[in-house]
Amino acid sequence: ALTGLAATLALTSLPAAADLAFNASLTSDYRYRGISQTRLKPALQGGVDASAGAFYVGAWGSTIKWVKDAGGDASAEFDLYGGYKTEIASGLSLDVGVLQYVYPSNQLNPSANTLEGYGALSYGPATLKVSRSFSNLFGFADSKGSMYYDLSASFDLGDGWSLAPHIGRQTVKRNGAYSHTDYALTLNKAIGALTLSAGLVDASTSAYVGPGGKDLGASRVVVSAKFTF
């Protein structure tokens, strides 16, 4: 996609003084918007972020299973994104950007590849983020214009501990049976460059079903370890 190419070029053309950060993680279940992308099984993930002033770009990837389960042929997801983040009032920050989800050779029709735009406002520990799809959403037919509303927070408990509650609402345009609300409550512990997490994740839907009748939105504790360098 041209958007993905543009994000890649932007990442490689940032000034030499740009800040770079890398991350690698292992999770017991890759949940996205409450729905398992890995058939309730573990995933390997990693990414890179670059920023120069208020501008940023990044790339991130994860192993997945859902595309093959849907009859396609992709075992990985790659996200390419870029945006602008700035303080617009004392303590209030604005973040706007675009995000391209890429599932190489996914062979689904419609394609699983998805382009979204987003805007977020953060104040204190809380962030409200709204995303809108500019293409079909993750292979759903005629779903351009689908929305995701995300209200999240991160509370510093001291000594490297933090607690992150989240509630989100996904609307899938013209595919209302797949619209749903998801919830999460995650406890994090930072130990230097390593962050350990354990969270309870749930989605208010049984519409997403994997092989063997697995409920991909079922309530489950998800644990992960993430290393940033």
Side-chain angles (χ1 to χ4, degrees), residues 124-127 151-166 184-190 195-200:
T127 297
L151 180 59
S152 302
S154 181
F155 297 100
D156 186 353
L157 305 179
D159 196 28
W161 292 93
S162 63
L163 186 66
H166 155 84
L185 183 61
T186 305
L187 182 65
N188 304 294
K189 170 62 174 177
T195 299
L196 303 176
S197 302
L200 179 63

Side-chain angles (χ1 to χ4, degrees), residues 101-226:
Y101 305 82
V102 180
Y103 303 89
S105 304
N106 66 88
Q107 298 182 10
L108 295 182
N109 185 21
S111 172
N113 294 342
T114 300
L115 175 64
E116 286 188 335
Y118 58 84
L121 288 172
S122 298
Y123 186 80
T127 297
L128 175 62
K129 181 177 181 180
V130 179
S131 302
R132 183 185 187 276
S133 67
F134 297 138
S135 66
N136 283 325
L137 183 78
F138 305 127
F140 289 108
D142 301 319
S143 57
K144 180 180 177 181
S146 297
M147 304 291 294
Y148 186 68
Y149 306 91
D150 178 345
L151 180 59
S152 302
S154 181
F155 297 100
D156 186 353
L157 305 179
D159 196 28
W161 292 93
S162 63
L163 186 66
H166 155 84
I167 182 171
R169 176 66 183 174
Q170 176 74 70
T171 66
V172 185
K173 202 164 186 178
R174 301 184 185 89
N175 294 265
Y178 293 94
S179 298
H180 65 281
T181 302
D182 69 281
Y183 316 86
L185 183 61
T186 305
L187 182 65
N188 304 294
K189 170 62 174 177
I191 309 170
L194 177 67
T195 299
L196 303 176
S197 302
L200 179 63
V201 183
D202 187 30
S204 64
T205 178
S206 57
Y208 296 82
V209 180
K214 289 183 178 179
D215 180 358
L216 302 181
S219 180
R220 175 167 289 207
V221 173
V222 175
V223 297
S224 66
K226 181 178 180 179

Side-chain angles (χ1 to χ4, degrees), residues 4-154:
L5 177 60
T8 302
L9 291 174
L11 182 63
T12 58
S13 62
L14 280 175
D19 294 322
L20 283 173
F22 299 86
N23 64 82
S25 61
L26 174 64
T27 182
S28 64
D29 183 9
Y30 171 22
R31 287 291 185 106
Y32 191 65
R33 299 177 180 176
I35 306 302
S36 178
Q37 310 295 290
T38 49
R39 208 187 304 144
L40 308 175
K41 295 186 179 298
L44 288 171
Q45 304 172 333
V48 56
D49 294 283
S51 61
F55 294 93
Y56 63 88
V57 293
W60 182 86
S62 177
T63 57
I64 60 166
K65 295 184 181 296
W66 75 268
V67 171
K68 286 190 173 182
D69 290 345
D73 191 30
S75 57
E77 168 192 331
F78 297 101
D79 301 346
L80 303 169
Y81 51 88
Y84 177 83
K85 185 174 183 179
T86 187
E87 188 175 65
I88 58 175
S90 180
L92 179 66
S93 66
L94 171 68
D95 181 4
V96 294
V98 291
L99 169 58
Q100 174 76 59
Y101 305 82
V102 180
Y103 303 89
S105 304
N106 66 88
Q107 298 182 10
L108 295 182
N109 185 21
S111 172
N113 294 342
T114 300
L115 175 64
E116 286 188 335
Y118 58 84
L121 288 172
S122 298
Y123 186 80
T127 297
L128 175 62
K129 181 177 181 180
V130 179
S131 302
R132 183 185 187 276
S133 67
F134 297 138
S135 66
N136 283 325
L137 183 78
F138 305 127
F140 289 108
D142 301 319
S143 57
K144 180 180 177 181
S146 297
M147 304 291 294
Y148 186 68
Y149 306 91
D150 178 345
L151 180 59
S152 302
S154 181

